[in-house]
Amino acid sequence: MPERRTVALVTLGCARNEVDSEELAGRLAADGWELVEDAADADVAVVNTCGFVEAAKKDSVDALLEANDLKAAAKEGGGRTQAVVAVGCMAERYGKELAEALPEADGVLGFDDYADISDRLQTILSGGIHASHTPRDRRKLLPISPADRQQADVALPGHAQAPAVEAPADLPDGVAPASGPRAPLRRRLDKSPVASVKLASGCDRRCSFCAIPSFRGSFISRRPSDVLGETRWLAEQGVKEVMLVSENNTSYGKDLGDIRLLETLLPELADVDGIERIRVSYLQPAEMRPGLIDVLTSTPKVAPYFDLSFQHSAPDVLRAMRRFGDTDRFLELLDTIRSKAPQAGVRSNFIVGFPGETEADFAELERFLNHARLDAIGVFGYSDEEGTEALTYDHKLDEDTIAERLAHMQMLAEELTSQRAEERLGETLEVLVESVEEVDEDGDGAYGRAAHQAPETDGQVVFTDSTGLVPGRMVTAKVVGTLGVDLVAEPLGLEEAAG
């Protein structure tokens, strides 16, 4: 009988990392590893790191150190953990440098190691050493022309790649090809009725504050058949809502010869049996097309949800960021969206204190936010990121000024999103029930999300009555109150449905 090998995956960062973790889980399960939830119960703790900004990198290091504490406890007879391994964006971005700076990690694996993850972990678990990679700019691994990228033999976590080995016939329960025989394996790591699906990887934009393209590579789309295949499999696993993720969904299809491919794919995804909602994230305002707006606002089961990456609205700051637009153009875009779908949800992130940002620029951003009626707002203070163009900029603002502007804008964002939630009083929404939790001896509490609320990043719906509600059920509900950005809603028609 083969020796029992256990592994736990700890995921940090964005939804794209969650997809990558489920790919790794599928590969490991297919090779006989037993997946466990608690790292303390695992022979190997694999930490899928985030390498976006300093705060995220710190969280990743902390998670690796916590896993190392479990390893130390195991040596004293207080657990099972024998090895700690870093994967993900921070591991890919820093490679050998991270391994040298963090000897507590027994291995630092890059994206090129994912296809052989089982062998890599077995080597490390057996006391062997896998040499960490020297970081490189992954944009240089793909052809400059998008049309030539599809045939490139490059590791793309979460993609249906030609070099991937066909799935064996005797897969463990719950493990399946994510997108047919060409795809990496995928194994769900939770029972949530919501799952993310990768639409593409990488980015061709050159925003001066962002290092992601250097370690995620140039933009490359997944084929529609792969995305459809994975969505069908997820529906069979009980998933009701699929969220399409990538670094830039508005560019989908440009390397497949059709920049409007998303407009034709969305109705097909919405027709998959069992799927109740399709959500698209990560949209670039400068690339929003009239046809895409039409599909997002009029297709049944496609959420009229717009995760628009504005970042700022003052023209001079946007140009320094190597982005496009201004307050008035952004407001026109929002007016167009809401003229087609008045209940549409809109969220965005913003950077304050960017090099050269004047008080007038800051006031212009405030003007935009006061008129935009956004459902969710993320505000971040600028910080230097190695490998970015903005790192070399003059006219940096001092830390106190950035902190002051950040605090002011965060307070404004909280006030504005609460006001936006109050505007929804009386609206009737379709809400996906995500959890029903015991609150006290008098009853349970039920929570879900409407079409304008994405997982993790936005608010939620709190039901006034949990009777008859179960995770995965789509419920019609009327908004009767607010709790900050969250909505309080009364379920409608449950008695008739039960009858």
Side-chain angles (χ1 to χ4, degrees), residues 408-492:
H408 175 84
M409 205 61 82
Q410 286 178 328
M411 187 178 301
L412 177 64
E414 184 175 347
E415 178 183 341
L416 292 173
T417 51
S418 295
Q419 290 176 6
R420 177 64 180 133
E422 290 174 0
E423 290 181 24
R424 293 190 180 275
L425 284 168
E427 284 188 3
T428 299
L429 308 173
E430 294 299 311
V431 184
L432 178 65
V433 181
E434 289 199 325
S435 65
V436 179
E437 305 168 4
E438 184 175 341
V439 177
D440 53 37
E441 58 185 14
D442 296 325
D444 299 332
Y447 307 88
R449 288 178 304 96
H452 70 279
Q453 298 167 319
E456 307 295 337
T457 57
D458 305 339
Q460 63 180 355
V461 172
V462 181
F463 289 100
T464 58
D465 183 3
S466 62
T467 305
L469 301 184
V470 294
R473 183 172 184 177
M474 191 70 79
V475 176
T476 302
K478 182 178 180 179
V479 181
V480 296
T482 64
L483 296 168
V485 70
D486 296 335
L487 304 179
V488 179
E490 175 186 352
L492 301 177

Side-chain angles (χ1 to χ4, degrees), residues 146-165:
D148 296 332
R149 293 174 187 167
Q150 286 291 322
Q151 305 306 316
D153 185 9
V154 175
L156 298 166
H159 280 231
Q161 296 166 258
V165 178

